[in-house]
Structure formats: C-alpha cells, structure tokens
C-alpha cells in the first residue's frame, strides 16, 4: 500500500472511534432521537398493557376510514368500532366453492400408481431394516415400477387434432 492509502486508512479508523459531530441545526443535539440515548446499563422499557387503554389508539383504525363508530361501539357491544360499510364488505366477502373431488381413475390406472409408489417404499423399508431381499423380489419391484411408469405415461391424454380445446391461445 502507498503512503496515501495508509494515511486514509488511519483517518478512517480515527473517525470510527471519534464521537459524532453535532447536527447542522446548531443546537448541539444528536441527529437521532433522545430515546435512543441509552447508557451501558440502561434498557428500553417494554410497553405495559395499561399504555394501550386509550380506545382512540387501539380501535381508531377499526372505526372505518374516518367514519364515526356505530352505536354498538359506544355501548361496547359486539362489532364495536365497525361501521355499516365495513359490515357490508364483510357480508359480501367472496367465499370460493368447495373444490371438485379428486378423480378416482380406473383399475388400470390405480394398479399403475401402486406399481410406481409401492416398490420404492418397500425397498426403502427393507434397506432401513437391514434385510437382504432375494434377487427375485428386487427384480419384481423394479419391473413393477417400470411397468407402472410406462403405463401411466402411455395413458396420458395427448393432443388430438379434432380436440376443440387448445388451451390458452395468445
């Protein structure tokens, strides 16, 4: 490093350890709030539940975009702090219909899925239990997996030329 780099580095370290300069306002205050001025043994106070007793602070955003609270809010009843517009909005909230049931498939598809799922699970369990399956069982598991996979791929719906549904066309 050159002499200028060493001098710049030393100035940087000195400015790091120096106290902050007073703010440009001329009054000598720190540029941060006084609440952040804590000594080494001081801690910030946690808010107490009594600090939030003012209803204008806790329910102010629930009274409905500047509208006056409804009569229920004055009485402290259910729905306190909710005006008619908010209640109408809640009543007209979209509720999606229940989803369609999953397709069950035919017997061939069910057996193909069983061939794809069951052999790997069985071989993992056998490996965890430290059993040594016979070669015929391993061969049967591999053949069942491959046959199930090929069956599922072969039975996939493909694009038919006379199919009117082309999906999303841009």
């Amino acid at each position: 490093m050159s002499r200028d780099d060493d001098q710049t580095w030393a100035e940087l370290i000195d400015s790091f350890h120096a106290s902050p300069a007073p703010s440009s306002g001329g009054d000598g205050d720190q540029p941060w709030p006084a609440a952040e001025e804590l000594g080494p043994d001081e801690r910030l106070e946690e808010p107490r539940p009594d600090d939030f007793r003012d209803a204008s602070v806790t329910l102010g955003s629930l009274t409905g975009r500047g509208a006056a609270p409804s009569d229920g809010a004055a009485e402290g009843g259910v729905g306190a702090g909710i005006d008619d517009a908010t209640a109408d909005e809640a009543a007209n909230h979209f509720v999606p219909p229940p989803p369609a049931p999953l397709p069950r498939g035919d017997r061939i598809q069910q057996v193909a899925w069983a061939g794809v799922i069951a052999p790997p699970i069985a071989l993992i369990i056998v490996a965890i239990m430290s059993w040594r399956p016979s070669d015929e069982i391993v061969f049967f598991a591999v053949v069942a997996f491959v046959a199930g996979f090929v069956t599922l791929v072969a039975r996939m719906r493909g694009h038919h030329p006379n199919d009117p549904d082309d999906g999303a066309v841009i």
Side-chain angles (χ1 to χ4, degrees):
M1 288 202 304
S2 69
R3 177 71 181 139
D4 291 333
D5 290 340
D6 290 336
Q7 184 178 7
T8 305
W9 182 254
E11 290 173 2
L12 180 66
I13 297 299
D14 290 341
S15 67
F16 179 72
H17 292 292
S19 61
S23 65
S24 60
D27 55 0
D29 291 335
Q30 269 77 15
W32 52 81
E36 293 185 11
E37 287 293 324
L38 298 177
D41 295 332
E42 295 180 43
R43 292 179 48 180
L44 286 176
E45 286 187 32
E46 295 293 326
R48 296 181 307 268
D50 295 341
D51 295 340
F52 300 107
R53 296 279 174 152
D54 185 12
S56 65
V57 174
T58 57
L59 296 177
S61 63
L62 296 177
T63 59
R65 300 175 193 88
S70 64
D71 293 337
E75 299 169 5
V78 178
I82 300 176
D83 63 354
D84 292 335
T86 308
D88 289 342
E89 183 179 325
N92 294 331
H93 181 71
F94 173 72
V95 177
L102 292 174
R104 300 291 295 167
D106 58 350
R107 287 272 185 219
I108 294 173
Q109 189 176 14
Q110 291 174 352
V111 171
W113 274 111
V116 169
I117 295 173
I121 291 174
L123 291 177
I124 289 172
I125 290 172
V126 165
I128 290 173
M129 302 298 275
S130 298
W131 294 340
R132 172 79 173 116
S134 66
D135 293 338
E136 293 84 16
I137 292 175
V138 174
F139 178 74
F140 177 72
V142 171
V143 167
F145 177 80
V146 171
F149 182 78
V150 168
T151 302
L152 289 174
V153 170
R155 291 175 52 101
M156 286 176 59
R157 292 185 198 143
H159 179 72
H160 298 289
N162 55 1
D163 187 10
D165 184 18
D166 289 334
V169 178
I170 298 175

